[in-house]
Amino acid sequence: MVREVAESCVDGVVMEMVAAYCGRFYAAKPELAARRIEAIGFQVGHQLTERYTMERPRFSDHLEAIKFICKDFWSELFKKQIDNLKTNHRGTFVLQDNRFRWLTRVSIDPSVESMDATDNDSATLGDSAAQTTSMLLYFPCGIIRGALTNLGISCSVTADMSNLPAWVFGL
């Protein structure tokens, strides 16, 4: 039996999780909030990979596992494959999603956040929006790290949000 959740529900849960950890639980410690959000993503990625690979044999090498993440895993999560996969053939991979669904509705334009803000407030709002957006990326980074860890690949995952809603992350 296939169970699906509406995309808007997942968006809402992720946004509320980030708001709760950044605003209420760890408002004075953003680095701790980031670690907690990433840890939750790690658990989600680990469990999803367990579910999606249940009927498959183990992967023979790292490249095969990365391809699984780019094609099958990403398709299960976002109904599309990763747009681009690059490697330096020394263990570093760069994955790119040109329309990352969780960031398509996010704006770091301060004028969108407050129409009546002054110039000084506008800069503060822009910094706040950029910080919130970067916090949103810790969750999918954790998902990918958890999935790869479950596949036997220890790694660190970083995200680049310089061209929203495109998303580039390095492994």
Side-chain angles (χ1 to χ4, degrees):
M1 178 168 108
V2 176
R3 291 188 274 175
E4 293 187 10
V5 177
E7 187 177 333
S8 60
C9 292
V10 174
D11 287 349
V13 168
V14 171
M15 295 291 263
E16 283 302 314
M17 175 186 58
V18 169
Y21 276 94
C22 294
R24 291 188 291 274
F25 301 143
Y26 302 109
K29 299 178 182 178
E31 66 283 343
L32 188 55
R35 283 200 315 253
R36 290 296 307 142
I37 292 166
E38 198 267 346
I40 294 168
F42 180 89
Q43 283 294 97
V44 170
H46 196 275
Q47 292 172 357
L48 287 174
T49 304
E50 193 70 34
R51 177 178 287 185
Y52 298 154
T53 60
M54 198 177 320
E55 305 291 324
R56 294 174 172 256
R58 284 306 247 183
F59 297 109
S60 59
D61 65 348
H62 288 1
L63 184 59
E64 197 174 310
I66 297 292
K67 286 181 180 178
F68 165 77
I69 294 295
C70 293
K71 292 180 179 181
D72 301 329
F73 187 77
W74 211 254
S75 294
E76 287 289 334
L77 287 177
F78 301 108
K79 308 296 184 231
K80 69 182 279 298
Q81 294 181 2
I82 286 282
D83 294 315
N84 198 355
L85 167 64
K86 296 178 185 175
T87 182
N88 67 355
H89 301 289
R90 284 178 255 159
T92 301
F93 294 91
V94 177
L95 287 69
Q96 182 175 352
D97 187 340
N98 293 329
R99 272 197 66 74
F100 186 58
R101 288 181 180 230
W102 290 351
L103 296 180
T104 54
R105 294 179 204 91
V106 173
S107 172
I108 58 172
D109 181 8
S111 63
V112 173
E113 298 230 352
S114 175
M115 299 304 250
D116 56 278
T118 64
D119 288 340
N120 291 338
D121 291 340
S122 179
T124 304
L125 285 172
D127 292 344
S128 174
Q131 182 179 7
T132 301
T133 303
S134 69
M135 286 299 205
L136 282 170
L137 291 176
Y138 283 104
F139 185 67
C141 284
I143 289 175
I144 294 167
R145 191 173 70 84
L148 289 171
T149 299
N150 194 8
L151 297 175
I153 302 172
S154 296
C155 65
S156 64
V157 180
T158 58
D160 176 21
M161 63 171 203
S162 60
N163 192 19
L164 292 177
W167 182 47
V168 177
F169 60 93
L171 309 174

